[in-house]
Amino acid sequence: MPGISFEQPAFETAVPVVVIGAGACGMTAALAARDAGAEVVVLERDTRPHGSTGMSQGYVCAAGTRLQAKLGVADDPDRFHADILAKTDGTADPALARIVADAAAPTVDWLMEVHGIPFELNPDWAGFFGHSTARMHGMPSRTGTELLGALGNAAERAGVDLVTGARVTTLFADRAGRVTGLEMARGDGRTERLGCDALVLATCGFGGNREMVREFIPGFGNAPRYRYFGHEGNQGDAIAWGRGLGAGLGSMTAFQGYGALAEPQAVVVNYDMIMAGGIQVNLAGERFANEIANISAQALTVLAQPEGIAWMLFDGPREAAAANLPEHREVLALGAVRRAGTVAELAAAIRVPADALQRTLDEVAAMAAGRIPDPFGRDFAGLAPLAPPFGAVRVTGALFHTQGGLTVDGDARVCRPDGTTLPNLFAGGGAAQSISGDGATGYLPAAGLCTAVTLGRLAGAAAARLARESRRG
């Protein structure tokens, strides 16, 4: 694991602001620091920025944006804040939730208008998974790769210095906890030392560190069929550094899970098909949960089924909801979809009891007609029952991203457990505490990238101010 050293070496060079990590948080922090007039260097471990942002759908939730107003969507930070607290059953830090709710829309507006990030509003997620209205801002392609590319282009235009293939191994600090610089290992075996006035940690979470997952999220870490579907670079480096400097931790049990990872292909099956009326059944041919109650917690629910497996069932109209999306094209290309013209053929194709599957589909049809309630609490009203020809994908549950990290204040400055701040250390995105509260149920879709860009902007601007004051002093 990376470490902290309290020795004070000579640094080959020094810059006012250093950002570790070139994902959405790190690049947004760098843009904010440059806008504030600071020279900034971004250090990226990989040879090409990708990480969790590149693996995501690229959505940022924000309330009260100019894009929402233009499209007639009434929303504001108070409503967003209320949704956060409701989704987390009040376990989210209310102060941090307030900071993010208030700053998210100005951040999206700034990224669009100042730096040309081409956000579009997706109206389809209104009322799902805790969002009471449409506030999902994404790229035209609905991919995190496009978002990362747009941020990278903006950073290049702004004069941000990006160094790839630079794995930070050690932070140097004085006894007061002030970071004075760092040591990095380069791909050719060289090591370099770089000094700084302020440091922003944007290294993402700890999902790739099985021991940390066992420590903080044992439901996943100790699961017999453990699946992590995130960037392997998410090793908890920021948490290790923060602990070494006496930082506080928050929301460490929270995570973003997903209950629809194609098995064994290990690709995402787009959930729009479920939201449009698709269902999941286990190996007994029976539904086992409200599929739209919690997109994150569904991962553990699926893992709790026999063999940790479920089948995602849909038909032509539901498949049309995802037909043009990158994930579904990949699912099709890998041959993950089973097809059937009758319920009996579908049961044979997915190897579940035909009588049980027929009973399940009949019950769902009765729920849609309003004749019986769903025992799991899902509302099928207004949805047509599934009809042949059918499609099915074998899925499992997976951990996508951890949501716990270093506690921060309104400037995204890292705090100690007593609330006092470390002198010049900032954090955002997966390196910082989230707005997801505790456990499996609090994750709001797009909350990860929301906190990434929002805290990234706050951190970059504050780091630039601190660096300027340090140099004046």
Side-chain angles (χ1 to χ4, degrees), residues 102-332:
D102 287 346
T107 298
V108 168
D109 290 344
W110 164 75
L111 285 171
M112 290 185 69
E113 295 164 11
V114 176
H115 293 290
I117 308 302
F119 283 112
E120 295 179 349
L121 187 69
N122 183 350
D124 296 339
W125 286 72
F128 282 100
F129 309 119
H131 288 299
S132 59
T133 191
R135 58 171 68 107
M136 300 283 276
H137 300 74
M139 297 293 96
S141 67
R142 300 189 185 185
T143 66
T145 302
E146 184 179 3
L147 174 60
L148 198 56
L151 289 169
N153 291 336
E156 184 176 2
R157 291 192 299 269
V160 172
D161 291 322
L162 171 63
V163 181
T164 59
R167 182 172 62 88
V168 178
T169 57
T170 304
L171 299 189
F172 297 101
D174 62 23
R175 291 295 175 180
R178 179 180 299 277
V179 177
T180 55
L182 55 87
E183 184 172 271
M184 61 182 128
R186 305 304 301 276
D188 59 5
R190 290 179 297 125
T191 60
E192 297 178 22
R193 290 176 173 176
L194 177 66
C196 62
D197 297 310
L199 178 66
V200 179
L201 298 177
T203 56
C204 217
F206 59 92
N209 186 327
R210 184 77 180 269
E211 290 308 309
M212 270 196 180
V213 174
R214 285 194 177 104
E215 178 182 357
F216 295 111
I217 313 174
F220 261 119
N222 295 324
R225 198 183 185 93
Y226 174 74
R227 272 300 190 110
Y228 171 58
F229 189 75
H231 193 268
E232 291 302 324
N234 295 350
Q235 294 293 322
D237 292 358
I239 292 167
W241 286 318
R243 278 174 152 176
L245 293 170
L249 302 177
S251 301
M252 294 301 290
T253 63
F255 63 86
Q256 175 194 356
Y258 197 65
L261 185 72
E263 172 67 27
Q265 293 84 4
V267 296
V268 170
V269 184
N270 193 275
Y271 222 69
D272 286 11
M273 294 187 290
I274 291 289
M275 292 157 57
I279 63 172
Q280 287 186 329
V281 300
N282 57 23
L283 297 183
E286 300 171 342
R287 288 180 63 238
F288 50 88
N290 179 344
E291 297 91 341
I292 63 170
N294 192 303
I295 194 170
S296 180
Q298 188 72 0
L300 290 178
T301 306
V302 169
L303 285 173
Q305 300 309 301
E307 299 183 28
I309 292 296
W311 284 95
M312 192 163 162
L313 306 185
F314 49 89
D315 58 12
R318 274 73 180 197
E319 189 169 8
N324 295 320
L325 299 179
E327 298 99 333
H328 195 63
R329 291 198 296 268
E330 188 172 13
V331 166
L332 291 173

Side-chain angles (χ1 to χ4, degrees), residues 323-378:
N324 295 320
L325 299 179
E327 298 99 333
H328 195 63
R329 291 198 296 268
E330 188 172 13
V331 166
L332 291 173
L334 291 173
V337 178
R338 309 280 180 91
R339 306 284 184 184
T342 67
V343 175
E345 290 174 0
L346 178 62
I350 65 176
R351 297 181 182 179
V352 303
D355 56 344
L357 184 60
Q358 182 68 65
R359 185 167 54 251
T360 295
L361 293 174
D362 289 345
E363 290 171 351
V364 172
M367 293 169 199
R371 294 195 300 272
I372 61 173
D374 178 11
F376 303 110
R378 181 173 176 181

